[in-house]
Amino acid sequence: MKISKKIIMLLGTIMLAGPAMLASQPAQVQAAANQTNLKINHSRIYNKYGQKLWSYRGKSSLITAKSINVASQAVPTTDPRSKNYSFHDENWDWYYLPYKMINGKTYYSIGHGGYIKAANVTKINGQSLLANQASIKLTEKMFDDKKANTIWVYDADLGKKVAKHFTPGQKVVVDAVTDGRDIDYQVDEGYSIMYRIKGSNQFLDEDIDDGDVLTAIYSKKDLQLLPCSTHMAVLTTKDTNYYTYKGKVATQSVVPNSNLIIASGNTPNSIVQGITVKKGRIEYATKAFYLREPGQTEPELFYQVRSTVVDNSYALLKAADTKYIYGIKLAPLNTKEDALADKPLASNTKRAELKQLLDQAPEIRASEKYRYSNTGSSSYEYYFKKAQIAYDSLISTDTDVQKAIADLQKATTELDRGKRIKVKDINHLTAKEANAILPLANSDLQTKYPKETNHYYNALFNKDNTELDVYLSDYTVKPAVTTKVGKLNIADYVEVEK
């Protein structure tokens, strides 16, 4: 899915490209005292009746300057959608410049009886001006099915694309723009820019017919729309930390005076420190709940955010360290009393169903289907760990637990694909047979040898494929040291053809 350079440039200032971007905009342009600075593309000056003036204060009415100062003052607002045009500062506090409606169009007064169209203004005091709606004229080539007059739209309520009927030439009003990630819409090529159809939770793809939606909206002016999300967008109001599902500060191992972050565990030169989140970062919250930090008696409100995974679960942020900026508003899934009682969000029925699956792990790991499943056993262990977290976590919902059940059941079923490698002569293995045995043997090492941070076990055949040896690579020292530590029985992994 193509995302044009133009749309990326236009959306950059309203931070729709993902949570990792900071909510910063260019420094405000300093207007004269008691004045407001307007950046414009070009504009004629009009009178109070919306009639074009040919001269203004003795000069041409065509404004060629890149910006002008006006006497009007920006006014704070808590509801930017109620204003035709508005803007926000770096703290996402919203403002609008008082405007006048003339013949259904929005104008700003520049004094002395002159007005300019708000649609020709791109920034106010250095901040991008955002419209609360725009119209798209649907051309015939935009239609996916020209006989049925339908266009594919993404329905965020249904979580899928649906064919929607329109009429060629019809004008459709859109009232918000978003990155596809903000509404959980993904295509094979990645994510696309989406426009919400006013009065619905359905979205038009900006890439429809090579960007015709984009062209329809942005023709002749750099118009930008208000952002939206099916999640809750929040802004960090201070430097803070991510937290784990247990309410602990999330940590990582780093090497001092370098940019090196250790994926897991420590090295002799590393230190453990909290994972910090800088002030001004936009995050997208998917859940809100009360949780007690270890050692604390008073529960706090946390948000689960989708940008970062810690301890195999989505990271948490303290609500007190953020402010709501747009999207849905999440209500807590529990109460402070629930959190004080360590009451899980998931039902006892679902938790019991998951516990039954978890309890089967020892038997499964001892089975041949586990040992001979090649990559299946590592997949099982991955989903087992996530399922264990879903069971242990007080903030797992019934939906989370059901997903853990489904994933673990699927991983268990896929173990049945594992089987011994058929060989003709165990004492004279061919290179092809040996190469087929190695994945099974290395998978088997997960249960035969203890897991140690920065220590990796690997099975290798000797030169003539008569011995299957186990080697340990120690990466806690530099250079890494590899030593032979054991031997596997080749007969455990083969079936001799008769």
Side-chain angles (χ1 to χ4, degrees), residues 7-36:
I7 191 67
I8 293 174
M9 177 181 70
L10 293 173
L11 294 177
T13 55
I14 56 174
M15 298 300 109
L16 293 177
M21 300 182 69
L22 300 181
S24 60
Q25 294 198 46
Q28 289 196 0
V29 175
Q30 293 298 317
N34 299 320
Q35 290 189 329
T36 299

Side-chain angles (χ1 to χ4, degrees), residues 139-441:
T139 63
E140 188 173 342
K141 62 181 179 179
M142 292 181 183
F143 285 75
D144 298 292
D145 188 331
K146 293 178 174 56
K147 290 184 178 180
N149 285 339
T150 57
I151 296 175
W152 286 105
V153 300
Y154 177 72
D155 191 310
D157 292 331
L158 300 177
K160 64 179 182 180
K161 293 176 74 174
V162 296
K164 187 175 179 69
H165 182 271
F166 295 99
T167 303
Q170 177 182 345
K171 285 189 175 181
V172 176
V173 177
V174 292
D175 65 356
V177 64
T178 179
D179 185 304
R181 286 171 289 191
D182 300 341
I183 56 174
D184 294 330
Y185 173 73
Q186 184 176 5
V187 292
D188 293 339
E189 297 87 350
Y191 296 91
S192 187
I193 302 302
M194 309 292 290
Y195 296 93
R196 186 175 66 189
I197 300 173
K198 186 175 180 179
S200 75
N201 215 12
Q202 295 180 331
F203 293 79
L204 284 167
D205 193 322
E206 113 15 71
D207 197 41
I208 181 176
D209 200 64
D210 295 327
D212 276 339
V213 171
L214 173 68
T215 303
I217 292 179
Y218 289 95
S219 60
K220 299 183 181 179
K221 51 185 175 290
D222 290 332
L223 174 65
Q224 298 187 51
L225 292 171
L226 290 170
C228 70
S229 177
T230 53
H231 305 298
M232 184 171 75
V234 297
L235 181 75
T236 52
T237 55
K238 57 186 285 190
D239 290 351
T240 184
N241 292 106
Y242 285 125
Y243 290 78
T244 71
Y245 68 93
K246 294 181 179 179
K248 297 179 180 179
V249 171
T251 60
Q252 62 186 2
S253 296
V254 300
V255 177
N257 303 317
S258 78
N259 294 322
L260 182 61
I261 298 176
I262 311 302
S264 61
N266 306 316
T267 69
N269 298 322
S270 70
I271 60 173
V272 176
Q273 65 181 30
I275 303 177
T276 57
V277 187
K278 293 294 185 180
K279 176 184 177 181
R281 180 180 172 90
I282 294 179
E283 293 280 0
Y284 295 91
T286 56
K287 292 181 192 174
F289 40 75
Y290 289 98
L291 187 66
R292 271 196 302 176
E293 292 182 70
Q296 299 295 317
T297 57
E298 185 68 17
E300 289 192 64
L301 184 62
F302 282 84
Y303 295 140
Q304 185 180 79
V305 297
R306 59 175 198 165
S307 66
T308 304
V309 174
V310 293
D311 287 358
N312 292 288
S313 183
Y314 286 117
L316 312 182
L317 279 175
K318 285 187 177 181
D321 297 338
T322 70
K323 66 178 287 187
Y324 169 86
I325 53 176
Y326 64 86
I328 65 173
K329 291 189 176 182
L330 295 173
L333 296 172
N334 62 351
T335 64
K336 285 188 175 182
E337 290 71 25
D338 291 335
L340 279 171
D342 292 333
K343 181 181 178 182
L345 296 180
S347 66
N348 291 334
T349 302
K350 282 295 177 188
R351 285 170 53 80
E353 187 178 348
L354 179 56
K355 182 66 164 58
Q356 187 176 12
L357 281 177
L358 294 171
D359 289 343
Q360 295 172 4
E363 180 181 349
I364 289 174
R365 290 178 179 133
S367 67
E368 284 200 353
K369 69 178 183 180
Y370 178 93
R371 295 181 63 188
Y372 306 139
S373 62
N374 197 349
T375 58
S377 58
S378 58
S379 176
Y380 175 86
E381 291 300 333
Y382 172 79
Y383 287 109
F384 176 86
K385 182 182 289 186
K386 292 181 74 69
Q388 188 68 63
I389 290 172
Y391 181 79
D392 293 339
S393 175
L394 297 175
I395 60 176
S396 295
T397 62
D398 274 0
T399 301
D400 297 327
V401 173
Q402 181 56 50
K403 185 177 188 309
I405 291 171
D407 288 342
L408 190 55
Q409 286 176 333
K410 181 179 178 182
T412 303
T413 300
E414 290 177 346
L415 290 174
D416 293 334
R417 301 175 185 174
K419 57 184 178 181
R420 293 174 181 246
I421 303 301
K422 292 184 178 182
V423 300
K424 293 181 178 180
D425 186 346
I426 194 172
N427 297 313
H428 297 87
L429 296 175
T430 65
K432 184 177 180 180
E433 291 169 341
N435 288 335
I437 293 169
L438 283 178
L440 302 187

Side-chain angles (χ1 to χ4, degrees), residues 253 261-270 450-457 472-478 480-482:
S253 296
I261 298 176
I262 311 302
S264 61
N266 306 316
T267 69
N269 298 322
S270 70
K451 294 181 180 179
E452 301 177 58
T453 301
N454 295 318
H455 291 75
Y456 300 94
Y457 292 91
L472 170 63
S473 296
D474 183 357
Y475 286 90
T476 61
V477 295
K478 291 184 177 181
V481 176
T482 299

Side-chain angles (χ1 to χ4, degrees), residues 22-83:
L22 300 181
S24 60
Q25 294 198 46
Q28 289 196 0
V29 175
Q30 293 298 317
N34 299 320
Q35 290 189 329
T36 299
N37 180 268
L38 307 183
K39 182 179 179 181
I40 56 178
N41 284 330
H42 67 279
S43 181
R44 284 282 184 182
I45 300 176
Y46 300 80
N47 63 19
K48 64 180 181 180
Y49 302 108
Q51 298 167 332
K52 187 182 298 183
L53 298 177
W54 296 106
S55 65
Y56 175 72
R57 302 185 70 188
K59 298 181 180 179
S60 170
S61 71
L62 177 63
I63 300 176
T64 57
K66 292 184 178 180
S67 67
I68 60 173
N69 291 335
V70 298
S72 301
Q73 295 293 299
V75 179
T77 179
T78 57
D79 185 13
R81 294 207 172 274
S82 67
K83 309 302 177 185

Side-chain angles (χ1 to χ4, degrees), residues 74-110:
V75 179
T77 179
T78 57
D79 185 13
R81 294 207 172 274
S82 67
K83 309 302 177 185
N84 291 2
Y85 295 89
S86 58
F87 62 95
H88 65 80
D89 60 17
E90 64 274 9
N91 296 318
W92 281 77
D93 293 323
W94 288 91
Y95 301 86
Y96 76 100
L97 191 65
Y99 50 83
K100 181 180 179 68
M101 298 300 297
I102 305 175
N103 299 326
K105 297 184 182 297
T106 308
Y107 290 80
Y108 289 132
S109 171
I110 60 173

